Amino acid sequence: MAFRKAGNTAKNDHVADANSFRLERKRGVRERIEYLTRQAQERVIEKRQRIEEQLWAIHEADIGDFFETIEVAKSDGDGKLETDAAGKMLTVRKQRPKLLSDLPAGVRKVIEDVIIDKRGNIVPRLYSKAAANKGLRELLNIGRIEPEVNDASRLSDAELIRQLADQAKQLGVKIDLSYDFGQRSDE
């Protein structure tokens, strides 16, 4: 009973394959398949472009875009504000991270994560430029070593065997380059 079921399934698969081949030959179906295939290829191209743009943004990101310079009152070791001889308060320039909400969306996209420093400031940590560089090199096929193509790699098996046999004959070497794909003796 199991054999009949399996046989029917195989028979039905064959009929389904034949029907699909017949349908694919119809003009409208063929055009629709071509349209959907083109649409899928265009989506892959768009996705690839977005990935490349993001990798370039990471690669070219400037850490300075995430910080701002501020002037703060200078204080002594006891926390008292310092003044000059005229009584004017002294200031010191310091760097602090910009508020995330003040950063443009394109700039925020290159932030991998944030850490909170001891003062409670949110400090951005950018994606790795080295990883972006590696990704771009792979995406754009930069620096890829192509396998060496020689004349022998372009030959068919029959042509290669014929050439080897000719060379062996010229050198006076007896070789047997036959191969057999017959049934095994244990079957």
Side-chain angles (χ1 to χ4, degrees):
M1 188 72 168
F3 291 112
R4 276 193 210 146
K5 198 172 200 180
N8 284 340
T9 302
K11 190 176 190 180
N12 291 340
D13 286 347
H14 180 67
V15 170
D17 288 343
N19 285 337
S20 68
F21 292 134
R22 187 173 40 81
L23 283 172
E24 286 177 9
R25 286 191 296 253
K26 288 187 176 183
R27 184 174 180 211
V29 173
R30 188 178 63 245
E31 288 173 353
R32 181 70 176 159
I33 290 171
E34 289 170 3
Y35 168 76
L36 292 172
T37 302
R38 256 191 330 273
Q39 191 178 26
Q41 290 169 346
E42 290 169 0
R43 287 178 53 202
V44 167
I45 290 169
E46 289 170 6
K47 288 177 182 178
R48 182 184 168 96
Q49 287 172 337
R50 283 196 305 269
I51 290 169
E52 184 178 351
E53 287 170 6
Q54 181 66 17
L55 288 171
W56 276 115
I58 292 167
H59 188 270
E60 299 298 321
D62 179 6
I63 192 71
D65 293 341
F66 299 87
F67 292 87
E68 61 189 357
T69 303
I70 58 169
E71 298 248 350
V72 295
K74 186 175 182 182
S75 57
D76 61 14
D78 295 331
K80 294 181 183 174
L81 297 178
E82 292 186 21
T83 57
D84 63 8
K88 183 179 175 192
M89 186 173 26
L90 297 175
T91 59
V92 137
R93 293 176 53 151
K94 291 193 175 192
Q95 291 283 322
R96 73 172 179 197
K98 289 182 181 176
L99 297 174
L100 290 175
S101 58
D102 291 345
L103 296 173
V107 173
R108 285 194 310 260
K109 287 182 180 181
V110 300
I111 298 173
E112 183 172 11
D113 64 8
V114 293
I115 56 172
I116 300 177
D117 68 8
K118 61 184 175 187
R119 293 188 180 120
N121 292 323
I122 295 176
V123 181
R125 188 171 69 91
L126 306 182
Y127 283 103
S128 165
K129 287 182 178 241
N133 186 310
K134 182 180 178 194
L136 281 167
R137 294 174 69 78
E138 289 173 3
L139 189 69
L140 301 173
N141 292 327
I142 297 172
R144 181 177 289 175
I145 298 172
E146 295 294 327
E148 186 176 318
V149 177
N150 56 32
D151 292 336
S153 67
R154 294 182 181 156
L155 298 175
S156 70
D157 290 345
E159 291 170 328
L160 182 59
I161 289 172
R162 189 172 42 254
Q163 270 194 5
L164 288 172
D166 289 345
Q167 288 176 356
K169 187 176 181 181
Q170 289 172 5
L171 295 171
V173 176
K174 183 179 180 192
I175 60 171
D176 181 15
L177 298 174
S178 62
Y179 51 89
D180 187 15
F181 293 107
Q183 292 184 353
R184 287 190 259 168
S185 59
D186 61 336
E187 291 182 356

